[in-house]
Amino acid sequence: MGRPNFFRMKINLWPFYYLLPLLIFSLVFGCSATVSETTSPPNSYSSDKSRNSAFEQRLHEAEQSLSREIQATPSETENYIRRAELLEILQLEKEALNVLRQALNSSPTPSQKQKLIHRMAVLLALKLGDEAAAAQDLEQLIPESLFHLDAEATVEIARNNPETALRHLSQAAHLAQNYDEQALVLYHQALAFQKMGEEDKAVAALYHAINRAENRALIKDIERLWEVLDTRTP
């Protein structure tokens, strides 16, 4: 599966090709060429905007389809997890949290329940600003498990204790059993490094995270953090 290459710089030369004929005209005929203030923006801008709008619309449609599936088969826990994932991508975090809470009543397996509680804690700590409620959720996670250590790290990040978070994440990294779990830990390491002002380390962690991540919501979180770090780069 392809991954975006964060270190590839793309330079849009469209404006130069647009102005070149006018500059030549000015030099040859000795007159000044002017560009109208009403010149339309590049077609790429409007097309990108249309693509983003269409993509978001498809996400909404998929989320609504899962909502109907949940109503039809309320015991299918994975549908709740997938719907919450789409809601996170759409930045509807409160709605995602509510769906995860509903999923706890869908007779989840023990492993699914741990996944649900972990995701709820991370949402509360990092996106909803309620680290106290997130800390309460930690009590329901298996001590010293990857989910417990990772969620505990996000609470420490929210409390502005990135060094403590990194210690928990270092332990969690040894427990990761697949690429997606590795990516999750790396993404949270990047957040901790960002808190410490060590943006080079944050970028390095993100680079490894994006090349491992498979969860769509996690990939979107990584992309959003990269955009924040990229705007601060001179």
Side-chain angles (χ1 to χ4, degrees):
M1 181 169 62
R3 292 285 181 266
N5 186 348
F6 290 130
F7 296 95
R8 185 179 298 165
M9 182 177 293
K10 295 182 180 180
I11 302 175
N12 184 7
L13 297 177
W14 187 93
F16 298 98
Y17 295 127
Y18 179 82
L19 292 173
L20 187 58
L22 293 176
L23 291 173
I24 294 174
F25 184 87
S26 175
L27 290 171
V28 173
F29 294 97
C31 63
S32 61
T34 59
V35 180
S36 170
E37 292 181 357
T38 60
T39 300
S40 300
N43 290 335
S44 60
Y45 174 82
S46 57
S47 62
D48 286 346
K49 190 174 181 181
S50 297
R51 280 195 297 269
N52 290 337
S53 178
F55 175 68
E56 187 170 315
Q57 180 60 34
R58 288 196 296 272
L59 287 177
H60 278 290
E61 290 171 357
E63 183 270 322
Q64 286 300 303
S65 176
L66 283 168
S67 177
R68 290 189 292 270
E69 287 187 37
I70 288 170
Q71 290 179 346
T73 54
S75 61
E76 288 291 333
T77 304
E78 281 301 319
N79 286 338
Y80 295 86
I81 294 173
R82 289 163 57 203
R83 186 185 177 201
E85 184 181 310
L86 292 176
L87 288 167
E88 279 197 66
I89 296 173
L90 291 164
Q91 295 183 289
L92 299 171
E93 288 86 4
K94 289 183 179 179
E95 290 85 345
L97 181 63
N98 288 335
V99 170
L100 293 171
R101 283 176 173 157
Q102 293 168 15
L104 291 175
N105 298 319
S106 67
S107 301
T109 65
S111 61
Q112 286 176 327
K113 186 174 181 180
Q114 289 290 295
K115 185 176 182 178
L116 290 168
I117 295 170
H118 166 265
R119 196 63 223 159
M120 288 166 56
V122 172
L123 267 174
L124 286 163
L126 296 181
K127 297 184 178 181
L128 295 174
D130 194 348
E131 63 267 23
Q136 289 181 346
D137 283 339
L138 293 179
E139 299 173 4
Q140 301 181 64
L141 294 171
I142 299 171
E144 302 306 310
S145 66
L146 179 140
F147 282 154
H148 186 281
L149 290 165
D150 181 75
E152 192 171 12
T154 64
V155 171
E156 294 299 338
I157 291 171
R159 290 174 173 169
N160 203 27
N161 297 320
E163 294 88 353
T164 303
L166 285 172
R167 287 197 292 272
H168 293 313
L169 292 168
S170 177
Q171 293 177 269
H174 294 294
L175 300 174
Q177 296 183 355
N178 54 55
Y179 284 143
D180 220 34
E181 290 179 354
Q182 291 174 10
L184 178 71
V185 173
L186 285 162
Y187 168 62
H188 291 152
Q189 285 177 336
L191 289 175
F193 285 130
Q194 181 197 26
K195 280 274 187 181
M196 296 168 67
E198 298 188 25
E199 295 191 355
D200 287 346
K201 291 183 179 179
V203 168
L206 285 181
Y207 173 78
H208 292 294
I210 196 62
N211 283 291
R212 289 168 170 77
E214 297 175 356
N215 179 279
R216 292 169 296 179
L218 177 58
I219 291 170
K220 196 63 181 177
D221 283 340
I222 293 168
E223 290 175 349
R224 285 172 178 147
L225 180 57
W226 172 256
E227 289 172 2
V228 170
L229 294 172
D230 194 40
T231 57
R232 297 180 184 176
T233 303

